[in-house]
Amino acid sequence: MTILADRKRIAIVTGGSRGLGRSTVVNLAKRGVNSIFTYNFSYTEAQAVATQADDVGAKAIPLRLDVGAIDSFEAFVADVRDALSKMEAERFDYLVNNAGISNHTAFAKVTEAELDELFKVNFKGPFFLTQKLLPLIADGGQIVNISSGVTRFVNPDSIAYATLKGAVEVFTRYLAHDLGPRNINVNTVAPGAVQTDFSGGVVRDNPVVNELVSKMTALGRPGVPEDLGQMIASLLSDANHWVNAQRIEVSGGMRL
Ligand SMILES: NC(=O)c1ccc[n+]([C@@H]2O[C@H](COP(=O)([O-])OP(=O)(O)OC[C@H]3O[C@@H](n4cnc5c(N)ncnc54)[C@H](OP(=O)(O)O)[C@@H]3O)[C@@H](O)[C@H]2O)c1
């Protein structure tokens, strides 16, 4: 049994301006879930996402956030409170830690600056953002952290990125344990290769990579944002509340 308030559900999705995050916000909207979502540089794209949600009768409020700027989180939480009051709510129900950056430097060449940047955006940011948002997430709510298929299989030149996504998965398990008493479930969604702007859009725009991914995927093609957005939006429902502390790979069966 969840104990969420009897009102329209509200999600916070980081990196909702493009890619998987955008598709998640739009698919949540189709399911009647309002969102507060973040963008960093893509202001125009974020406005378009808000319009798409509006078109299907849901609210999606964009807020600017650099997930790597931990010292801005206090101000961000104040912005979230304002956005919640516009939705006549004091708490939100779902958190999706999605925003992230890639890195494809060979182990011998990874610099300290590269590793620090990855750590900040892909791990430290979600860690402390979740901590700061804890008082605002409703008991009975749900958290999804986005990892990657590359924590299970080895992708060339992805050691720094994959290692920090591995940390996200351990974080998920511990968070599920620690938030259990508040009836909040926490899961990892690990996408396979998806056709977005990520890694310079290589999975979408490079025919060689596209074919390679198709050949190593049971369902015979790379993922598209909708594959992930639909899945994450459907995971965030009462029907899935008992799914807890899991790593769910959403890759069409990549590198089985
Ligand atoms: N695409 C894939 O093949 C793939 C595979 C496995 C896992 N993933 C994971 O899925 C997640 C989303 O990836 P995607 O493919 O949708 O990427 P994407 O198309 O490149 O979009 C990235 C999103 O994250 C935001 N973002 C990037 N850096 C940020 C920062 N420092 N602070 C705040 N927001 C930031 C961007 O915001 P702005 O545009 O507004 O700056 C954008 O909304 C990532 O965690 C990624 O690691 C992707």
Side-chain angles (χ1 to χ4, degrees), residues 163-204:
T163 302
L164 290 168
K165 285 296 193 184
V168 168
E169 295 181 7
V170 176
F171 173 55
T172 294
R173 250 189 343 270
Y174 273 77
L175 205 54
H177 173 269
D178 289 2
L179 301 187
R182 289 186 54 192
N183 196 25
I184 294 171
N185 73 6
V186 191
N187 292 292
T188 292
V189 166
V194 192
Q195 295 182 324
T196 67
D197 298 333
F198 207 63
S199 302
V202 70
V203 178
R204 181 190 56 213

Side-chain angles (χ1 to χ4, degrees), residues 17-18 20 40-42 65-67 98 161 165 192 194 196:
S17 47
R18 293 185 289 121
L20 316 185
N40 190 19
F41 294 117
S42 304
L65 175 73
D66 177 352
V67 177
N98 163 74
Y161 171 78
K165 285 296 193 184
V194 192
T196 67

Side-chain angles (χ1 to χ4, degrees), residues 20-43:
L20 316 185
R22 170 171 58 193
S23 181
T24 300
V25 173
V26 172
N27 277 286
L28 283 167
K30 287 179 187 166
R31 291 173 159 262
V33 177
N34 290 334
S35 291
I36 296 165
F37 70 97
T38 74
Y39 66 94
N40 190 19
F41 294 117
S42 304
Y43 172 80

